[in-house]
Amino acid sequence: MDNTELLNKLGVDIDPELVSLALTHRSFAYENGQIPHNERLEFLGDSVLGQAVTVMLYKTHPNLDEGSLAKRRAAVVSTVALAEVARRIGLGSFVRLGRGEELTGGRDKDSILADTTEALIGASYLSAGADAASALVLRLIDPLLADPDRYGAAMDPKTSLQELVAHHRLSAPVYSVSASGPDHHRFFTATVSTEGVSASGTGSSKKSAEMAAALAAWHELSGRA
């Protein structure tokens, strides 16, 4: 697959082999002779992401206490937020997935999109260095920070949805969650419903799946007059 379009969006010169590795999900690796996959890069990228966001928040919000800074950081580095970043750059179409994940909508799963985003950040760190990787992080999350309403929703999507539902005088949101996969690798799908609105989200835990569903419903409701 030609990853030139993706690299142009990222704006970082990343080694082609590392790009390919960052885009390789473990499901693809297992179906193709146990080749290397992106989880080590994801581990590295998670650390780079956390440090870049922490430094940025510390410098730009000198009046916030530790607890407030921690909440903002958690919102920006959450699976829900990273999946939104990934969708904005069309990352799902570049991920290398196994057939099973492909058939179950893996290209749009929050967890896969978020993990791949972190892996690409890790790859940028190894290829271009710490400064370039931090700059990439800030470019990726900037649209989230530029929209206060969306940022607030990403920080606490269930509460934000509850407030929006009350504003529209709709019935309280009702959540349902289903799980799939083996015990050591459970995958959750949540659906939230209220009057005239139903949205779904996925995650590696019940909580993250419900948050993803709540944010999707918030986006749908917030578009109403």
Side-chain angles (χ1 to χ4, degrees), residues 78-88 109-111 113-114 117:
S78 71
T79 297
V80 172
L82 291 179
E84 184 172 342
V85 165
R87 291 188 182 97
R88 193 174 64 248
K109 287 182 179 178
D110 283 4
S111 56
L113 291 174
T117 300

Side-chain angles (χ1 to χ4, degrees), residues 94-204:
F94 294 93
V95 182
R96 299 204 294 175
L97 294 174
R99 190 168 181 272
E101 284 289 357
E102 189 81 63
L103 293 174
T104 56
R107 293 193 183 280
D108 197 47
K109 287 182 179 178
D110 283 4
S111 56
I112 290 177
L113 291 174
D115 291 348
T116 306
T117 300
E118 290 181 334
L120 284 169
I121 293 169
S124 72
Y125 178 90
L126 293 177
S127 291
D131 290 345
S134 294
L136 171 61
V137 168
L138 298 183
R139 287 197 302 276
L140 289 174
I141 66 170
D142 185 64
L144 289 176
L145 302 179
D147 186 339
D149 290 335
R150 176 177 293 186
Y151 185 49
M155 185 180 298
D156 190 352
K158 294 183 75 172
T159 298
S160 295
L161 176 61
Q162 183 69 47
E163 292 172 349
L164 196 57
V165 163
H167 172 74
H168 287 286
R169 298 184 179 180
L170 303 176
S171 59
V174 177
Y175 293 85
S176 61
V177 182
S178 61
S180 60
D183 290 341
H184 66 279
H185 184 51
R186 301 292 277 171
F187 184 79
F188 296 85
T189 300
T191 299
V192 59
S193 302
T194 184
E195 297 170 49
V197 176
S198 181
S200 298
T202 60
S204 57

Side-chain angles (χ1 to χ4, degrees), residues 7-37:
L7 289 174
N8 288 338
K9 291 180 178 179
L10 295 176
V12 181
D13 187 14
I14 306 176
D15 178 85
E17 290 187 6
L18 283 175
V19 174
S20 180
L21 180 60
L23 296 172
T24 302
H25 187 256
R26 65 169 165 255
S27 62
F28 182 92
Y30 292 164
E31 291 182 12
N32 289 272
Q34 301 285 348
I35 64 173
H37 52 76

